[in-house]
Amino acid sequence: NEEKLAQSIRESLFLVNNFANSYFQDILHNHRDGQAIGMSYFRQRGFRDDIIKKFQLGFSTESRDALYQEAKRKGFNTDYLVKTGLCYTRDDGQVRDRFWGRVIFPVHTLSGKVVAFGGRVLNTADKKVAKYVNSPESEIYHKSRELYGIYFAKQAIVKQDKCFLVEGYTDVISMHQCGIENVVANSGTALTKEQIHLLHRFTNNITLLYDGDEAGIHAAQRGTDMLLAAGMNVKILLLPDGDDPDSFARKHDAATFRKYVEEHQVDFLKFKTSLLLSQAQNDPRKLSQLVAEIVTSISF
């Protein structure tokens, strides 16, 4: 009976997410704010209408409880709205939407169910407001187990026996639009064993595709050893300064993008050696540390 109850709660949470996904898309396509603000943002990013529909992108108005009121009208249970993280209860007992005033990126499971949402604020002038808000962990969502875009990428990954791993939602979407579909994102979280296990079901070959800035280099270093330990073949490509996969994909077609990757991706030994040599600058202590780091990666 406990298992049946747990299963029925999970199904209810998926139903609530499904409703919210349709609601956000409807606002984007049919509400005047959705068209004037949300759509113009996506178009300014260069996203085509077919790509916006494919990834089921949405919009939420500035109203703090519009989704909640619509869900109540449709008979959805407040408890489930809070459990999925779509809403939260304030100290004074009022229920508020989590994602007001943002463009919405739904996160799909491997089988295509909507398990969570990411919302990006459009007015970045107010530094107190977080640029991205994501669904909290719930009974159906564990961010360490999900990869953004895996549902749309799995066939292309198998077909090409290779996967590109990027950092953010827009990187995945822009690469799809330029014709490269074997791409997923770990969406700002450090790469986890569960995510690697999920990828390993489809391919052994991973190319880490990160910005060439400090954060990108750090993320590539961290991910490499974990992937090697899981028996993956790892290549790394840091894009030219000032470019991330999103902006790079918008400037090039798929053939040019792939050619650039083939010519510039390096294996982990070359990546670590060139990176650490540039940092060591003939300092013997740093050089010995370099050797230790590379040997560690080889041991993985």
Side-chain angles (χ1 to χ4, degrees):
N1 283 340
E2 284 167 14
E3 280 180 16
K4 278 184 186 164
L5 178 66
Q7 187 55 30
S8 105
I9 289 173
R10 283 174 60 83
E11 280 167 14
S12 301
L13 297 182
F14 276 122
L15 279 173
V16 168
N17 273 351
N18 206 25
F19 151 75
N21 193 30
S22 302
Y23 169 83
F24 291 138
Q25 287 180 80
D26 185 53
I27 296 290
L28 178 71
H29 292 283
N30 303 315
H31 189 285
R32 67 167 187 271
D33 286 355
Q35 291 174 339
I37 304 165
M39 264 304 185
S40 58
Y41 168 76
F42 287 136
R43 294 211 171 108
Q44 176 198 329
R45 295 294 304 237
F47 296 163
R48 296 193 310 261
D49 289 9
D50 60 314
I51 291 289
I52 293 170
K53 279 213 164 74
K54 176 179 183 175
F55 282 90
Q56 300 168 14
L57 305 181
F59 182 71
S60 183
T61 62
E62 288 285 337
S63 162
R64 304 286 173 99
D65 66 349
L67 170 85
Y68 174 63
Q69 295 300 344
E70 180 64 14
K72 290 298 286 176
R73 216 171 53 73
K74 293 256 171 81
F76 284 100
N77 182 325
T78 303
D79 193 27
Y80 291 142
L81 288 160
V82 172
K83 271 188 171 158
T84 55
L86 284 161
C87 301
Y88 61 94
T89 310
R90 291 196 337 184
D91 293 342
D92 62 5
Q94 285 189 309
V95 179
R96 287 282 183 261
D97 294 352
R98 186 176 301 274
F99 294 107
W100 57 273
R102 292 171 185 267
V103 286
I104 306 291
F105 300 87
V107 179
H108 297 80
T109 63
L110 191 57
S111 60
K113 288 180 175 173
V114 175
V115 75
F117 297 92
R120 186 193 193 280
V121 74
L122 300 183
N123 175 15
T124 47
D126 186 352
K127 293 288 179 244
K128 285 187 213 149
V129 177
K131 187 169 162 186
Y132 276 98
V133 163
N134 299 303
S135 294
E137 301 256 315
S138 68
E139 283 171 55
I140 56 172
Y141 177 55
H142 306 281
K143 66 172 181 269
S144 62
R145 293 182 203 161
E146 303 296 337
L147 285 163
Y148 181 74
I150 187 75
Y151 172 63
F152 302 104
K154 56 188 179 185
Q155 285 171 322
I157 295 172
V158 171
K159 195 170 163 190
Q160 300 184 29
D161 192 18
K162 178 183 186 175
C163 181
F164 293 109
L165 189 61
V166 295
E167 284 188 280
Y169 304 128
T170 54
D171 297 331
V172 171
I173 296 169
S174 289
M175 283 177 71
H176 260 262
Q177 180 160 298
C178 106
I180 295 172
E181 298 190 348
N182 52 330
V183 54
V184 297
N186 54 326
S187 313
T189 59
L191 196 58
T192 65
K193 283 180 178 166
E194 291 98 333
Q195 290 170 331
I196 293 169
H197 181 69
L198 182 57
L199 283 175
H200 213 165
R201 289 166 57 181
F202 300 101
T203 183
N204 273 331
N205 305 305
I206 300 282
T207 298
L208 300 178
L209 207 57
Y210 291 147
D211 323 0
D213 62 7
E214 195 65 35
I217 290 169
H218 190 65
Q221 274 181 296
R222 214 177 34 217
T224 304
D225 287 350
M226 287 182 76
L227 288 159
L228 290 170
M232 307 284 255
N233 303 320
V234 188
K235 294 273 172 71
I236 297 129
L237 173 64
L238 295 177
L239 289 164
D241 258 1
D243 260 332
D244 56 16
D246 170 19
S247 60
F248 196 82
R250 275 183 282 154
K251 294 178 203 163
H252 302 89
D253 60 22
T256 317
F257 197 114
R258 283 208 181 89
K259 186 166 183 274
Y260 185 87
V261 170
E262 287 308 319
E263 288 171 0
H264 293 83
Q265 65 180 5
V266 294
D267 62 43
F268 71 95
L269 282 175
K270 283 206 178 107
F271 168 70
K272 281 206 159 176
T273 311
S274 59
L275 178 69
L276 295 167
L277 276 175
S278 69
Q279 290 172 356
Q281 301 290 352
N282 297 327
D283 174 335
R285 279 170 314 173
K286 284 189 174 165
L287 283 169
S288 67
Q289 194 184 337
L290 176 163
V291 174
E293 283 224 11
I294 290 170
V295 170
T296 306
S297 289
I298 293 172
S299 72
F300 282 123

